[in-house]
Amino acid sequence: MLLNRNKFASIGPPKRLRNEAMEVASASDIVIIHGNSHPDLANQIANRLGVKSGGCSVYHKTNRETMVEIGDSVRGKNIYIIQTGTKDVNNNIMELLIMAYACKTSSARSIVGVIPYLPYSKQCKMRKRGCIVTKLLAKMMCKSGLTHIITMDLHQKEIQGFFDCPVDNLRASPFLLQYIQECIPDYRNSIIVARNPGSAKKATSYAERLRLGIAVIHGEQKEAESDEVDGRYSPPPSVSSRSRTMDVSVGVPCHPAKEKPPINVVGDVGGRIAIMVDDLIDDVQSFVAAAEVLKDRGAYKIYVLATHGLLSSDAPRLIEDSPIDEVVVTNTIPHEIQKMQCHKIKTVDISVLIAEAIRRIHNKESMSYLFRNVTLED
């Protein structure tokens, strides 16, 4: 009987109590910290998860060096660092790297970087003698200790391949589509406009989901880049007795120079609501020029929808003086100051999506639910 009593004593508490203890332990393992880039978004995400934001102090010394002090223990815990890209982009990056490295050296179990807008994401292609800055940034983030990345609407989906850790590229399009359906009167009389041929794929995705038509603005070009000072275009040295140089003008066809075509709208926008869609709106001059053309072609209302609203420099003033009726962006980037300068800027909250992504990753659940009906073209 003594052996049997010891046998039953070793079984422990009932299964229900063990499960509740595991859930409490799992909830206590999550720690959310943030830098100075977007504390409002971090607090919204923490409130939705029912978790208190961790005690992390990030400040700058008089010599502009970044200092990070983590007040709570992170040993063996799952850390989620919420830091997005703003106009103070370089400080945002250094804060993220130092926070991640501080958690790594404090024996955190996992460190997930929640970066709604990934900085330098537009510098993801080689240009002349430059470099692919996004690749450098990805290497720095992985070396600092980040084991997972959560971001939203990358400028190019192929950026995920730069990282040596998993990357979840969330989509804000369901929130923007919902805004179109609920907040734009008579949206059935709308037409989705691609600001340039490069954004036609995103415009087509929106148009197919809303069962609307599409128009493309063609001819909007940037300032012509001067190539005369580039050494690659310098003429070969003259032929001398010591060195013989092949005349490259013989047999090698010359590449024709590009000419700016007159700006044109492919598609009928007369008497329609024009909705321009893009992933980032920063320098708004091209959007304003496109809006003026759409207004001339008969569009009676013009909306601009974008995931990330950086809105640098004098963008609010240009939007206020333009034919654009509304600029709708998500809160991946703080823009409260810009909204005070321009009443046309509207905000869509996407904190619920990021909070759900964090919850699923923490509970080791599938992320496929958040990518329903997402195709390779989106």
Side-chain angles (χ1 to χ4, degrees), residues 83-85 96 113-119 141 146 149-152:
Q83 183 82 339
T84 190
L96 173 64
V114 183
I115 315 169
Y117 169 60
L118 183 68
M141 288 182 178
L146 293 178
I149 300 291
I150 301 175
T151 186
M152 183 169 290

Side-chain angles (χ1 to χ4, degrees), residues 127-373:
R127 299 184 184 278
K128 290 190 177 180
R129 292 192 182 92
C131 65
I132 303 176
V133 184
T134 318
K135 172 70 173 179
L136 170 65
L137 186 61
K139 287 292 185 183
M140 293 167 59
M141 288 182 178
C142 293
K143 287 293 184 181
S144 68
L146 293 178
T147 59
H148 199 131
I149 300 291
I150 301 175
T151 186
M152 183 169 290
D153 280 341
L154 290 171
H155 185 63
Q156 297 289 340
K157 293 185 292 294
E158 292 77 7
I159 293 175
Q160 298 175 74
F162 294 162
F163 290 86
D164 296 329
C165 64
V167 177
D168 286 314
N169 181 27
L170 304 176
R171 305 295 198 276
S173 53
F175 295 88
L176 298 177
L177 290 169
Q178 184 182 30
Y179 184 91
I180 293 174
Q181 294 172 324
E182 296 181 357
C183 300
I184 297 181
D186 193 22
Y187 82 94
R188 292 292 182 186
N189 189 34
S190 303
I191 186 168
I192 307 298
V193 179
R195 184 172 54 90
N196 51 46
S199 58
K201 189 178 294 184
K202 178 180 283 289
T204 302
S205 174
Y206 275 72
E208 290 175 350
R209 282 170 166 77
L210 294 169
R211 277 69 173 174
L212 299 175
I214 184 175
V216 181
I217 297 178
H218 178 60
E220 182 182 9
Q221 300 289 340
K222 295 182 179 180
E223 295 283 335
E225 297 181 357
S226 177
D227 293 331
E228 286 77 7
V229 297
D230 197 327
R232 293 176 296 176
Y233 299 96
S234 58
S238 58
V239 179
S240 63
S241 58
R242 294 185 179 181
S243 62
R244 306 193 62 175
T245 305
M246 183 182 71
D247 188 359
V248 295
S249 62
V250 178
V252 179
C254 180
H255 206 76
K258 289 184 178 180
E259 291 185 5
K260 291 184 179 181
I263 192 166
N264 187 31
V265 180
V266 182
D268 183 19
V269 298
R272 313 284 287 277
I273 301 173
I275 303 175
M276 287 188 282
V277 295
D278 213 330
D279 62 330
L280 172 67
I281 175 169
D282 184 10
D283 183 9
V284 299
Q285 291 181 353
S286 57
F287 289 92
V288 172
E292 292 173 350
V293 174
L294 292 172
K295 201 72 173 179
D296 293 340
R297 296 300 175 92
Y300 72 92
K301 272 193 176 181
I302 301 170
Y303 291 80
V304 177
L305 273 70
T307 304
H308 310 295
L310 204 53
L311 302 171
S312 301
S313 188
D314 57 346
R317 180 185 60 81
L318 293 175
I319 294 172
E320 190 71 27
D321 299 338
S322 71
I324 299 174
D325 292 281
E326 275 188 16
V327 174
V328 184
V329 293
T330 68
N331 59 341
T332 56
I333 300 173
H335 49 265
E336 295 303 320
I337 297 177
Q338 289 87 337
K339 289 181 70 174
M340 290 188 291
Q341 298 172 352
C342 176
H343 75 283
K344 296 181 180 180
I345 302 173
K346 309 297 180 183
T347 306
V348 176
D349 182 22
I350 46 82
S351 61
V352 61
L353 178 61
I354 299 177
E356 178 64 14
I358 292 174
R359 189 195 66 81
R360 287 178 173 272
I361 291 174
H362 184 68
N363 294 331
K364 299 179 176 58
E365 299 177 12
S366 173
M367 294 285 287
S368 59
Y369 179 81
L370 302 180
F371 294 95
R372 290 170 301 170
N373 302 323

